[in-house]
Amino acid sequence: MEQIFGKNSIDIEALREFCEREGKMVEYRKGDQLEREGDPARWVAFVTDGCFKYVNHSSDGREHITWFSFAGEFVADYPTFLYGQPAQTTIEAMMPSRVLRVSGEQLVDFFRQDAEKMELRSIIAEHILFQFRSRYIDLHCATARERYERLLQRCPGIVEHLDLQDIASFLNVTPKTISMIRKDITFGKD
């Protein structure tokens, strides 16, 4: 599978093969939800086409984009789906998308098959922890421009598919800030 946006940094071949073998191909239209914040989380899916955004709501009702999953990556509210706990985020298709979807129960059974698969579970958890730790550090230590440039490095071509508002939300800045960063990059200002 060619990755249009994202670049995975861990070997997830065994998990992808499991989704291909045991999963159901499901299509999502733009705006369809894989998981909904507060409802029981149930799914993990391998994205074959398209992309998803993770949306959380603040107490004042504002939406905040907290993560993305692209073709060639997995999409899930990990680890809540493993145990059927309430989803901590809404996961929504950003464009027409297709996934190979399995349930949390299926995945738990897969992990229990042998020590190698249980090790894969640990590797996935550690990878997610590393991603979120890096994002947390970026939000505290990197400038808005540095966060924007890192997003473009991780996801070349993403700007053609995201609204300015979604990028701004993910980077925790205003749309005006993103416009100014783009202008600076275009005209070579630092």
Side-chain angles (χ1 to χ4, degrees):
M1 298 274 154
E2 178 186 356
Q3 292 182 342
I4 299 169
F5 304 108
K7 296 177 182 172
N8 257 325
S9 61
I10 62 171
D11 183 6
I12 52 173
E13 189 69 18
L15 189 54
R16 183 186 59 77
E17 289 172 357
F18 172 72
C19 287
E20 288 176 344
R21 188 174 57 253
E22 303 293 329
K24 176 182 176 186
M25 179 64 74
V26 180
E27 295 187 11
Y28 291 86
R29 295 173 306 208
K30 181 178 179 175
D32 286 351
Q33 296 175 347
L34 174 76
E35 300 287 8
R36 182 181 163 123
E37 188 176 1
D39 289 351
R42 301 180 297 159
W43 308 112
V44 61
F46 181 76
V47 182
T48 61
D49 297 293
C51 55
F52 291 80
K53 63 183 176 181
Y54 295 60
V55 181
N56 288 85
H57 297 85
S58 57
S59 59
D60 64 4
R62 291 180 31 217
E63 287 189 353
H64 301 273
I65 309 299
T66 57
W67 201 252
F68 300 107
S69 289
F70 303 103
E73 297 180 339
F74 286 87
V75 58
D77 189 359
Y78 197 94
T80 58
F81 76 91
L82 290 173
Y83 309 107
Q85 295 176 344
Q88 295 180 342
T89 191
T90 296
I91 302 173
E92 181 180 307
M94 295 168 36
M95 62 179 56
S97 301
R98 292 184 328 159
V99 302
L100 294 165
R101 189 177 75 183
V102 297
S103 70
E105 294 89 9
Q106 287 175 284
L107 191 59
V108 168
D109 290 343
F110 172 73
F111 287 143
R112 288 182 180 151
Q113 289 178 3
D114 57 46
E116 185 178 310
K117 291 181 180 66
M118 192 55 79
E119 183 179 359
L120 176 62
R121 181 178 179 163
S122 296
I123 290 168
I124 292 167
E126 290 167 5
H127 177 71
I128 291 169
L129 178 62
F130 178 78
Q131 286 179 322
F132 281 102
R133 182 175 179 270
S134 295
R135 177 148 163 72
Y136 181 81
I137 291 170
D138 277 354
L139 287 172
H140 286 276
C141 299
T143 67
R145 180 173 175 160
E146 289 168 338
R147 294 193 307 271
Y148 181 77
E149 289 172 341
R150 287 177 187 158
L151 177 63
L152 295 181
Q153 287 173 348
R154 175 181 173 231
C155 314
I158 191 173
V159 294
E160 290 90 33
H161 299 282
L162 284 183
D163 296 333
L164 187 67
Q165 180 63 40
D166 285 347
I167 293 173
S169 176
F170 179 71
L171 298 176
N172 203 26
V173 297
T174 65
K176 183 178 179 180
T177 300
I178 297 298
S179 293
M180 289 172 25
I181 291 169
R182 286 179 174 175
K183 182 179 176 184
D184 288 349
I185 290 171
T186 301
F187 295 106
K189 296 180 184 175
D190 288 322

